Amino acid sequence: MGSGRRLGIRLILWGLVLNLVWEFAQSPLYADHGNGWGYVAWTRFHCTLGDVLILAGAFATTAVMLRSWHWLDTRGSGAATVFVGLGLAYTVWSEWFNTAVREAWAYAPAMPLVFGVGLSPLLQWLVIPTLLVWILRRRPAWELSKGEMV
């Protein structure tokens, strides 16, 4: 298996684990607990899958913008900022659209808001992608030596 494929798998697996933990940790900040444990568990898992898709999309968009699938290895903090910024920008729009327009979900009164958007999802998209860049940049040297695409 090539280094690029390994990188993609690691991004997805780490993204899945970190986002699942975050989704359940921030769960009390959403107003859906009256729907029962099964509903809450399903929505948190569903949202985690969406988070992984956002991560993959931000990673791929960053690669296209920088014309390199290996931007994580060859570019500095500017590339990581693009990656984090893309996920954050989508999250701001998605949180606003789904709470204010579609009313697909709602925040509990305990959720701190920043211009009407929940602080916890904003922090999620600052912390997790930044942590993923740090984790994924610490790969074995043999894995970095291959020049294959994700």
Side-chain angles (χ1 to χ4, degrees), residues 45-140:
F45 183 70
H46 176 264
C47 289
T48 298
L49 294 177
D51 295 334
V52 171
L53 288 174
I54 296 167
L55 279 172
F59 186 90
T61 302
T62 302
V64 169
M65 289 173 67
L66 299 175
R67 297 180 185 174
S68 172
W69 285 105
H70 299 284
W71 65 264
L72 195 61
D73 303 326
T74 60
R75 307 293 171 104
S77 60
T81 301
V82 169
F83 172 60
V84 173
L86 287 169
L88 182 61
Y90 178 81
T91 297
V92 167
W93 175 82
S94 177
E95 289 289 320
W96 167 80
F97 183 75
N98 284 293
T99 58
V101 177
R102 285 188 60 222
E103 297 180 349
W105 64 76
Y107 301 129
M111 174 72 84
L113 300 177
V114 178
F115 300 108
V117 175
L119 178 61
S120 184
L122 295 178
L123 289 175
Q124 177 180 7
W125 284 94
L126 290 172
V127 172
I128 290 178
T130 302
L131 183 58
L132 279 170
V133 167
W134 184 82
I135 290 168
L136 295 174
R137 282 187 170 160
R138 277 134 192 84
R139 299 192 312 278

